[in-house]
mmCIF file of all heavy atoms in Angstrom:
data_model
loop_
_atom_site.group_PDB
_atom_site.id
_atom_site.type_symbol
_atom_site.label_atom_id
_atom_site.label_comp_id
_atom_site.label_asym_id
_atom_site.label_seq_id
_atom_site.Cartn_x
_atom_site.Cartn_y
_atom_site.Cartn_z
ATOM 1 N N ASP A 1 -9.898 -1.459 -6.659
ATOM 2 C CA ASP A 1 -8.840 -1.098 -7.576
ATOM 3 C C ASP A 1 -9.125 -1.920 -8.776
ATOM 4 O O ASP A 1 -8.509 -3.007 -8.968
ATOM 5 C CB ASP A 1 -7.417 -1.400 -6.959
ATOM 6 C CG ASP A 1 -6.317 -1.026 -7.920
ATOM 7 O OD1 ASP A 1 -6.672 -0.187 -8.648
ATOM 8 O OD2 ASP A 1 -5.232 -1.540 -7.695
ATOM 9 N N ALA A 2 -10.158 -1.495 -9.614
ATOM 10 C CA ALA A 2 -10.495 -2.176 -10.764
ATOM 11 C C ALA A 2 -9.283 -2.519 -11.830
ATOM 12 O O ALA A 2 -9.261 -3.594 -12.442
ATOM 13 C CB ALA A 2 -11.558 -1.551 -11.557
ATOM 14 N N SER A 3 -8.343 -1.519 -11.942
ATOM 15 C CA SER A 3 -7.349 -1.768 -12.804
ATOM 16 C C SER A 3 -6.283 -2.616 -12.181
ATOM 17 O O SER A 3 -5.360 -3.113 -12.994
ATOM 18 C CB SER A 3 -6.714 -0.448 -13.212
ATOM 19 O OG SER A 3 -6.074 0.191 -12.074
ATOM 20 N N GLY A 4 -6.159 -2.849 -10.902
ATOM 21 C CA GLY A 4 -5.086 -3.569 -10.228
ATOM 22 C C GLY A 4 -3.778 -2.749 -10.239
ATOM 23 O O GLY A 4 -2.769 -3.330 -10.119
ATOM 24 N N GLY A 5 -3.884 -1.387 -10.503
ATOM 25 C CA GLY A 5 -2.580 -0.509 -10.519
ATOM 26 C C GLY A 5 -2.051 -0.183 -9.320
ATOM 27 O O GLY A 5 -0.933 0.328 -9.259
ATOM 28 N N VAL A 6 -2.895 -0.273 -8.184
ATOM 29 C CA VAL A 6 -2.256 0.122 -6.819
ATOM 30 C C VAL A 6 -1.696 -1.100 -6.252
ATOM 31 O O VAL A 6 -2.376 -2.053 -5.849
ATOM 32 C CB VAL A 6 -3.278 0.854 -6.025
ATOM 33 C CG1 VAL A 6 -2.673 1.202 -4.765
ATOM 34 C CG2 VAL A 6 -3.949 1.991 -6.661
ATOM 35 N N PRO A 7 -0.433 -1.132 -5.934
ATOM 36 C CA PRO A 7 0.207 -2.342 -5.181
ATOM 37 C C PRO A 7 -0.310 -2.523 -3.879
ATOM 38 O O PRO A 7 -0.481 -1.543 -3.064
ATOM 39 C CB PRO A 7 1.770 -1.987 -5.208
ATOM 40 C CG PRO A 7 1.826 -0.675 -5.659
ATOM 41 C CD PRO A 7 0.552 0.036 -6.164
ATOM 42 N N VAL A 8 -0.641 -3.782 -3.576
ATOM 43 C CA VAL A 8 -1.209 -4.155 -2.247
ATOM 44 C C VAL A 8 -0.066 -4.243 -1.325
ATOM 45 O O VAL A 8 1.000 -4.914 -1.503
ATOM 46 C CB VAL A 8 -1.924 -5.525 -2.296
ATOM 47 C CG1 VAL A 8 -2.435 -5.829 -0.982
ATOM 48 C CG2 VAL A 8 -3.066 -5.365 -3.364
ATOM 49 N N PRO A 9 -0.168 -3.507 -0.130
ATOM 50 C CA PRO A 9 1.083 -3.563 0.772
ATOM 51 C C PRO A 9 1.120 -4.902 1.526
ATOM 52 O O PRO A 9 0.182 -5.529 1.666
ATOM 53 C CB PRO A 9 0.648 -2.447 1.817
ATOM 54 C CG PRO A 9 -0.832 -2.417 1.813
ATOM 55 C CD PRO A 9 -1.229 -2.683 0.411
ATOM 56 N N THR A 10 2.364 -5.268 1.851
ATOM 57 C CA THR A 10 2.647 -6.327 2.690
ATOM 58 C C THR A 10 2.670 -5.890 4.142
ATOM 59 O O THR A 10 3.472 -4.925 4.502
ATOM 60 C CB THR A 10 4.028 -6.989 2.268
ATOM 61 O OG1 THR A 10 3.942 -7.330 1.005
ATOM 62 C CG2 THR A 10 4.224 -8.166 3.257
ATOM 63 N N LEU A 11 1.736 -6.496 4.868
ATOM 64 C CA LEU A 11 1.639 -5.961 6.260
ATOM 65 C C LEU A 11 2.404 -6.837 7.195
ATOM 66 O O LEU A 11 2.414 -8.115 7.102
ATOM 67 C CB LEU A 11 0.171 -5.887 6.761
ATOM 68 C CG LEU A 11 -0.756 -5.100 5.780
ATOM 69 C CD1 LEU A 11 -2.138 -5.117 6.389
ATOM 70 C CD2 LEU A 11 -0.279 -3.624 5.800
ATOM 71 N N SER A 12 3.079 -6.324 8.272
ATOM 72 C CA SER A 12 3.845 -7.025 9.214
ATOM 73 C C SER A 12 2.910 -7.691 10.317
ATOM 74 O O SER A 12 1.903 -6.990 10.676
ATOM 75 C CB SER A 12 4.858 -6.055 9.804
ATOM 76 O OG SER A 12 5.624 -6.763 10.907
ATOM 77 N N HIS A 13 3.264 -8.602 10.792
ATOM 78 C CA HIS A 13 2.586 -9.291 11.874
ATOM 79 C C HIS A 13 3.503 -9.246 13.127
ATOM 80 O O HIS A 13 3.112 -9.971 14.175
ATOM 81 C CB HIS A 13 2.060 -10.670 11.594
ATOM 82 C CG HIS A 13 1.042 -10.830 10.550
ATOM 83 N ND1 HIS A 13 1.214 -10.863 9.214
ATOM 84 C CD2 HIS A 13 -0.216 -10.593 10.679
ATOM 85 C CE1 HIS A 13 0.218 -10.783 8.630
ATOM 86 N NE2 HIS A 13 -0.889 -10.656 9.382
ATOM 87 N N GLU A 14 4.537 -8.516 13.146
ATOM 88 C CA GLU A 14 5.460 -8.419 14.379
ATOM 89 C C GLU A 14 4.711 -7.528 15.280
ATOM 90 O O GLU A 14 4.107 -6.552 14.886
ATOM 91 C CB GLU A 14 6.689 -7.784 13.950
ATOM 92 C CG GLU A 14 7.554 -8.615 13.018
ATOM 93 C CD GLU A 14 8.092 -9.808 13.704
ATOM 94 O OE1 GLU A 14 8.367 -9.869 14.845
ATOM 95 O OE2 GLU A 14 8.041 -10.933 12.999
ATOM 96 N N PRO A 15 4.652 -7.915 16.556
ATOM 97 C CA PRO A 15 3.977 -7.134 17.618
ATOM 98 C C PRO A 15 4.678 -5.869 18.115
ATOM 99 O O PRO A 15 4.115 -5.314 18.973
ATOM 100 C CB PRO A 15 3.905 -8.171 18.747
ATOM 101 C CG PRO A 15 5.153 -9.012 18.585
ATOM 102 C CD PRO A 15 5.362 -8.996 17.127
ATOM 103 N N THR A 16 5.841 -5.505 17.467
ATOM 104 C CA THR A 16 6.427 -4.277 17.995
ATOM 105 C C THR A 16 5.689 -3.098 17.637
ATOM 106 O O THR A 16 4.882 -3.012 16.481
ATOM 107 C CB THR A 16 7.821 -4.055 17.451
ATOM 108 O OG1 THR A 16 7.764 -3.905 16.072
ATOM 109 C CG2 THR A 16 8.734 -5.408 17.713
ATOM 110 N N LYS A 17 5.780 -2.058 18.365
ATOM 111 C CA LYS A 17 4.972 -0.810 18.105
ATOM 112 C C LYS A 17 5.498 -0.251 16.751
ATOM 113 O O LYS A 17 4.611 0.223 15.948
ATOM 114 C CB LYS A 17 5.339 0.214 19.200
ATOM 115 C CG LYS A 17 4.584 1.600 19.057
ATOM 116 C CD LYS A 17 4.976 2.582 20.164
ATOM 117 C CE LYS A 17 4.303 3.842 19.944
ATOM 118 N NZ LYS A 17 4.653 4.839 21.127
ATOM 119 N N THR A 18 6.741 -0.254 16.323
ATOM 120 C CA THR A 18 7.159 0.278 15.093
ATOM 121 C C THR A 18 6.477 -0.516 13.950
ATOM 122 O O THR A 18 5.987 0.058 13.007
ATOM 123 C CB THR A 18 8.568 0.122 15.046
ATOM 124 O OG1 THR A 18 9.270 0.879 16.091
ATOM 125 C CG2 THR A 18 9.137 0.719 13.807
ATOM 126 N N GLU A 19 6.411 -1.817 14.044
ATOM 127 C CA GLU A 19 5.844 -2.637 13.016
ATOM 128 C C GLU A 19 4.442 -2.397 12.863
ATOM 129 O O GLU A 19 3.765 -2.418 11.739
ATOM 130 C CB GLU A 19 6.194 -4.096 13.172
ATOM 131 C CG GLU A 19 7.686 -4.418 12.937
ATOM 132 C CD GLU A 19 8.190 -4.168 11.524
ATOM 133 O OE1 GLU A 19 7.443 -4.294 10.534
ATOM 134 O OE2 GLU A 19 9.198 -3.614 11.349
ATOM 135 N N VAL A 20 3.717 -2.403 14.066
ATOM 136 C CA VAL A 20 2.178 -2.164 13.960
ATOM 137 C C VAL A 20 1.883 -0.876 13.365
ATOM 138 O O VAL A 20 0.978 -0.745 12.513
ATOM 139 C CB VAL A 20 1.704 -2.262 15.474
ATOM 140 C CG1 VAL A 20 0.273 -1.733 15.441
ATOM 141 C CG2 VAL A 20 1.838 -3.694 15.962
ATOM 142 N N LEU A 21 2.687 0.309 13.735
ATOM 143 C CA LEU A 21 2.330 1.614 13.184
ATOM 144 C C LEU A 21 2.733 1.613 11.840
ATOM 145 O O LEU A 21 1.972 2.194 10.854
ATOM 146 C CB LEU A 21 3.139 2.643 13.915
ATOM 147 C CG LEU A 21 2.659 2.932 15.362
ATOM 148 C CD1 LEU A 21 3.563 3.930 16.034
ATOM 149 C CD2 LEU A 21 1.334 3.424 15.397
ATOM 150 N N ALA A 22 3.681 0.838 11.293
ATOM 151 C CA ALA A 22 4.009 0.821 9.881
ATOM 152 C C ALA A 22 2.991 0.086 9.094
ATOM 153 O O ALA A 22 2.577 0.585 7.887
ATOM 154 C CB ALA A 22 5.428 0.096 9.745
ATOM 155 N N SER A 23 2.352 -1.034 9.659
ATOM 156 C CA SER A 23 1.296 -1.673 8.917
ATOM 157 C C SER A 23 0.093 -0.817 8.939
ATOM 158 O O SER A 23 -0.601 -0.669 7.834
ATOM 159 C CB SER A 23 0.924 -2.893 9.787
ATOM 160 O OG SER A 23 1.855 -3.950 9.536
ATOM 161 N N LEU A 24 -0.190 -0.052 9.957
ATOM 162 C CA LEU A 24 -1.514 0.856 9.811
ATOM 163 C C LEU A 24 -1.226 1.965 8.842
ATOM 164 O O LEU A 24 -2.047 2.267 8.017
ATOM 165 C CB LEU A 24 -1.685 1.543 11.140
ATOM 166 C CG LEU A 24 -2.421 0.767 12.248
ATOM 167 C CD1 LEU A 24 -2.434 1.497 13.550
ATOM 168 C CD2 LEU A 24 -3.813 0.470 11.771
ATOM 169 N N GLU A 25 0.003 2.527 8.738
ATOM 170 C CA GLU A 25 0.269 3.571 7.791
ATOM 171 C C GLU A 25 0.166 3.065 6.419
ATOM 172 O O GLU A 25 -0.328 3.617 5.582
ATOM 173 C CB GLU A 25 1.665 4.156 8.049
ATOM 174 C CG GLU A 25 1.933 5.317 7.079
ATOM 175 C CD GLU A 25 3.282 5.914 7.528
ATOM 176 O OE1 GLU A 25 3.935 5.596 8.600
ATOM 177 O OE2 GLU A 25 3.794 6.809 6.834
ATOM 178 N N ALA A 26 0.801 1.750 6.218
ATOM 179 C CA ALA A 26 0.755 1.254 4.815
ATOM 180 C C ALA A 26 -0.743 0.965 4.362
ATOM 181 O O ALA A 26 -1.110 1.200 3.157
ATOM 182 C CB ALA A 26 1.516 -0.013 4.785
ATOM 183 N N ALA A 27 -1.580 0.507 5.375
ATOM 184 C CA ALA A 27 -2.910 0.217 4.968
ATOM 185 C C ALA A 27 -3.796 1.444 4.567
ATOM 186 O O ALA A 27 -4.502 1.477 3.611
ATOM 187 C CB ALA A 27 -3.564 -0.522 6.199
ATOM 188 N N TYR A 28 -3.542 2.493 5.332
ATOM 189 C CA TYR A 28 -4.241 3.690 5.079
ATOM 190 C C TYR A 28 -3.650 4.382 3.863
ATOM 191 O O TYR A 28 -4.368 5.141 3.076
ATOM 192 C CB TYR A 28 -4.299 4.661 6.358
ATOM 193 C CG TYR A 28 -5.455 4.082 7.226
ATOM 194 C CD1 TYR A 28 -5.184 3.240 8.332
ATOM 195 C CD2 TYR A 28 -6.734 4.517 6.944
ATOM 196 C CE1 TYR A 28 -6.213 2.849 9.071
ATOM 197 C CE2 TYR A 28 -7.711 4.047 7.756
ATOM 198 C CZ TYR A 28 -7.436 3.141 8.845
ATOM 199 O OH TYR A 28 -8.488 2.566 9.604
ATOM 200 N N ASP A 29 -2.370 4.360 3.707
ATOM 201 C CA ASP A 29 -1.770 4.840 2.424
ATOM 202 C C ASP A 29 -2.366 4.103 1.163
ATOM 203 O O ASP A 29 -2.659 4.748 0.038
ATOM 204 C CB ASP A 29 -0.280 4.803 2.355
ATOM 205 C CG ASP A 29 0.428 5.860 3.346
ATOM 206 O OD1 ASP A 29 -0.326 6.735 3.755
ATOM 207 O OD2 ASP A 29 1.618 5.716 3.598
ATOM 208 N N TYR A 30 -2.482 2.809 1.318
ATOM 209 C CA TYR A 30 -3.144 2.006 0.122
ATOM 210 C C TYR A 30 -4.482 2.513 -0.052
ATOM 211 O O TYR A 30 -4.837 2.733 -1.105
ATOM 212 C CB TYR A 30 -3.096 0.567 0.651
ATOM 213 C CG TYR A 30 -3.786 -0.352 -0.259
ATOM 214 C CD1 TYR A 30 -3.300 -0.709 -1.593
ATOM 215 C CD2 TYR A 30 -5.079 -0.820 0.014
ATOM 216 C CE1 TYR A 30 -3.931 -1.501 -2.550
ATOM 217 C CE2 TYR A 30 -5.794 -1.680 -0.848
ATOM 218 C CZ TYR A 30 -5.183 -1.987 -2.155
ATOM 219 O OH TYR A 30 -5.824 -2.671 -2.943
ATOM 220 N N GLY A 31 -5.318 2.672 0.991
ATOM 221 C CA GLY A 31 -6.694 3.092 0.789
ATOM 222 C C GLY A 31 -6.659 4.491 0.163
ATOM 223 O O GLY A 31 -7.590 4.749 -0.732
ATOM 224 N N THR A 32 -5.887 5.465 0.529
ATOM 225 C CA THR A 32 -5.728 6.642 -0.124
ATOM 226 C C THR A 32 -5.592 6.547 -1.586
ATOM 227 O O THR A 32 -6.112 7.197 -2.407
ATOM 228 C CB THR A 32 -4.801 7.625 0.615
ATOM 229 O OG1 THR A 32 -5.092 7.737 1.936
ATOM 230 C CG2 THR A 32 -4.628 8.920 -0.097
ATOM 231 N N ALA A 33 -4.527 5.698 -1.887
ATOM 232 C CA ALA A 33 -4.209 5.566 -3.286
ATOM 233 C C ALA A 33 -5.338 4.920 -4.119
ATOM 234 O O ALA A 33 -5.584 5.303 -5.328
ATOM 235 C CB ALA A 33 -2.967 4.701 -3.434
ATOM 236 N N VAL A 34 -6.018 3.933 -3.492
ATOM 237 C CA VAL A 34 -7.047 3.267 -4.232
ATOM 238 C C VAL A 34 -8.207 4.257 -4.503
ATOM 239 O O VAL A 34 -8.860 4.345 -5.574
ATOM 240 C CB VAL A 34 -7.585 2.030 -3.321
ATOM 241 C CG1 VAL A 34 -8.912 1.617 -3.998
ATOM 242 C CG2 VAL A 34 -6.543 0.942 -3.452
ATOM 243 N N LEU A 35 -8.443 5.006 -3.450
ATOM 244 C CA LEU A 35 -9.672 6.037 -3.734
ATOM 245 C C LEU A 35 -9.267 7.093 -4.617
ATOM 246 O O LEU A 35 -10.159 7.456 -5.507
ATOM 247 C CB LEU A 35 -9.889 6.658 -2.329
ATOM 248 C CG LEU A 35 -10.620 5.712 -1.277
ATOM 249 C CD1 LEU A 35 -10.736 6.458 0.151
ATOM 250 C CD2 LEU A 35 -11.907 5.171 -1.851
ATOM 251 N N GLU A 36 -8.001 7.459 -4.730
ATOM 252 C CA GLU A 36 -7.718 8.476 -5.685
ATOM 253 C C GLU A 36 -7.738 7.845 -7.060
ATOM 254 O O GLU A 36 -8.150 8.591 -8.006
ATOM 255 C CB GLU A 36 -6.234 9.068 -5.470
ATOM 256 C CG GLU A 36 -6.156 9.937 -4.244
ATOM 257 C CD GLU A 36 -4.735 10.366 -3.757
ATOM 258 O OE1 GLU A 36 -3.764 9.773 -4.272
ATOM 259 O OE2 GLU A 36 -4.660 11.228 -2.975
#
């Protein structure tokens, strides 16, 4: 992200299934946005 225009997600370190899945989703959404 050369322009720094894509906000970096804050990932949770909570061990719950909901939080882990939210972190994965945020990471891959970030990757998609950066690639676009």
Side-chain angles (χ1 to χ4, degrees):
D1 186 23
S3 68
V6 180
V8 178
T10 301
L11 304 177
S12 173
H13 291 91
E14 292 296 320
T16 67
K17 180 179 179 178
T18 302
E19 292 297 324
V20 169
L21 291 175
S23 288
L24 278 174
E25 185 174 352
Y28 281 95
D29 286 349
Y30 172 75
T32 299
V34 166
L35 292 174
E36 287 173 351

